[in-house]
Amino acid sequence: MSQHPPILSGKTDGPGNDTSLLTKPKSKTQRPPLYKVLLLNDDYTPMEFVVHVLERFFGLSHAQSFDIMLTVHKKGLAVVGVFSHEVAETKVAQVMDFARRHQHPLQCTMEKE
């Protein structure tokens, strides 16, 4: 009966045959970067339209939407949400498209948090 060394025993007889070096330590998983979606003030888009956009595309209540709209109006811009890159990009595109279809110059942008 012949004896064979066990396969993947960790170490073998010859130099350079150390299989224990093939495993990498687990690295911590990093969260993907988040992006702020911002609405910018302009002198032409009606306040009611901005409130409607916030309710429709960001799922905010009427009161929350009204408060954010006033912040945009008074301060020039406001963060309306923080999302993954893909979600933020989609929301910006939806808002911009909706504003253009209703002939409003409303601007919506995103920036890394």
Side-chain angles (χ1 to χ4, degrees):
M1 190 162 141
S2 102
Q3 292 247 354
H4 296 285
I7 299 173
L8 298 176
S9 65
K11 294 192 184 235
T12 58
D13 293 15
N17 292 331
D18 186 355
T19 58
S20 64
L21 298 177
L22 296 177
T23 59
K24 292 182 180 177
K26 287 189 176 183
S27 61
K28 289 184 179 178
T29 306
Q30 288 187 338
R31 290 179 177 248
L34 296 176
Y35 291 80
K36 297 184 283 191
V37 174
L38 305 143
L39 275 186
L40 284 65
N41 189 43
D42 65 73
D43 293 331
Y44 304 101
T45 304
M47 292 179 174
E48 299 80 23
F49 183 79
V50 175
V51 170
H52 178 68
V53 163
L54 292 167
E55 291 171 345
R56 178 174 178 160
F57 296 106
F58 297 93
L60 300 173
S61 70
H62 185 75
Q64 291 171 315
S65 298
F66 191 82
D67 287 345
I68 291 173
M69 177 275 299
L70 283 179
T71 301
V72 172
H73 182 68
K74 292 176 183 175
K75 295 189 176 181
L77 63 86
V79 175
V80 295
V82 179
F83 309 95
S84 69
H85 184 270
E86 293 78 14
V87 172
E89 199 171 52
T90 300
K91 293 214 181 267
V92 168
Q94 288 173 328
V95 169
M96 294 295 288
D97 181 57
F98 190 71
R100 297 303 157 264
R101 282 189 283 127
H102 288 85
Q103 299 179 337
H104 294 301
L106 181 65
Q107 293 293 305
C108 185
T109 63
M110 61 188 264
E111 65 181 42
K112 202 169 188 176
E113 189 176 45

